[in-house]
Amino acid sequence: MKVQIVKDILSANEQIAQENRRLFDEKGVFVLNIMAAPGAGKTSLIERTIEPLRGRLRIGVIEGDVASSIDADRIARLGIPAVQINTGGACHLDANMVCVALPRLPLDETDLLFIENVGNLICPTNFALGEHLKVIVASSPEGDDKPYKYPGMFSVVDVLVLNKVDLLPLLQFDLDYFRRGVEALNPDVAFFPMSCKTGEGVQEWIDWLVERCRAG
Ligand code: MG
Ligand code: ZN
């Protein structure tokens, strides 16, 4: 019985996600669902991406958090339209939350929309939002075993950003072990080692993203 209930919830979500996707495609908005554990650097990645694209692509952001508007305030300070969704305890965004937030964004004047999910490596995997790309931000202090411990997340994403690589010399982080774990699950993932703090690796990500966004 329980399994049936879960299935129904997921298919209802899938239906709304498809409606979101239709709207994005109609408006010509390319959408990224950014997922990660808390503190990995999702908001920092978005900030780092906004700066070099200013004047090239029109960007919008939806921030998902259990509480507070700290992240949306960070984005709004950059002069970028931002909407905060507070889930009030729920540990992931679902398609309906995104659907409700969309009228508050200028979609007609948006080329690229970031949806920052709630910090969580498990259930965001199961809830499509209508995005074109799923992105995971891992960070070096979390450890090199993350792909082995969270195979669900690492196998569904299109993009993997490994943030905080500037800290690698200080950590017991075996990059080859990490990469082998990712490769076994998801050999086609686009992998970007990066430091949002120093800017290392950001340009490669920007170039790739602009190309994907233009391709639609
Ligand atoms: Mg954040
Ligand atoms: Zn959840």
Side-chain angles (χ1 to χ4, degrees):
M1 244 357 218
K2 239 178 188 169
V3 170
Q4 190 53 43
I5 290 167
V6 170
K7 267 191 179 165
D8 287 346
I9 290 168
L10 288 180
S11 63
N13 185 78
E14 189 56 43
Q15 223 166 9
I16 301 170
Q18 282 173 16
E19 286 163 25
N20 289 347
R21 177 61 177 268
R22 263 197 296 277
L23 181 66
F24 295 145
D25 288 340
E26 185 191 308
K27 304 275 185 191
V29 186
F30 193 70
V31 182
L32 282 71
N33 178 5
I34 314 278
M35 299 174 283
K42 296 182 293 301
T43 315
S44 300
L45 174 69
I46 295 169
E47 288 172 322
R48 269 288 183 187
T49 308
I50 286 170
E51 283 312 324
L53 292 180
R54 217 180 263 285
R56 293 170 71 189
L57 292 172
R58 298 166 298 175
I59 297 175
V61 178
I62 294 175
E63 286 288 345
D65 281 292
V66 170
S68 90
S69 65
I70 293 170
D71 285 353
D73 293 342
R74 274 171 71 177
I75 301 300
R77 274 199 291 275
L78 301 174
I80 297 294
V83 177
Q84 181 78 51
I85 298 173
N86 281 155
T87 62
C91 47
H92 59 270
L93 292 179
D94 64 33
N96 190 53
M97 295 177 196
V98 170
C99 177
V100 169
L102 288 177
R104 293 162 63 193
L105 282 168
L107 290 184
D108 286 319
E109 287 97 46
T110 303
D111 303 309
L112 184 59
L113 175 65
F114 294 96
I115 304 175
E116 181 180 330
N117 219 307
V118 179
N120 176 351
L121 288 176
I122 302 172
C123 42
T125 318
N126 299 323
F127 290 85
L129 306 177
E131 72 274 19
H132 297 90
L133 291 179
K134 291 183 197 296
V135 179
I136 180 173
V137 184
S139 69
S140 58
E142 293 167 50
D144 52 18
D145 55 5
K146 280 291 161 299
Y148 301 90
K149 289 187 171 174
Y150 299 94
M153 174 65 77
F154 279 83
S155 51
V156 300
V157 291
D158 305 292
V159 179
L160 163 60
V161 171
L162 177 62
N163 190 24
K164 309 189 190 180
V165 293
D166 54 305
L167 298 177
L168 284 175
L170 307 174
L171 301 168
Q172 299 271 14
F173 188 104
D174 182 339
L175 192 54
D176 281 336
Y177 177 66
F178 179 82
R179 287 190 95 133
R180 281 199 306 277
V182 173
E183 228 151 74
L185 295 165
N186 192 345
D188 297 326
V189 74
F191 179 48
F192 298 95
M194 193 184 298
S195 167
C196 289
K197 189 178 173 204
T198 67
E200 178 185 349
V202 171
Q203 193 58 52
E204 287 82 353
W205 154 247
I206 295 292
D207 293 343
W208 184 89
L209 178 61
V210 168
E211 199 160 299
R212 278 307 300 260
C213 188
R214 298 242 155 94

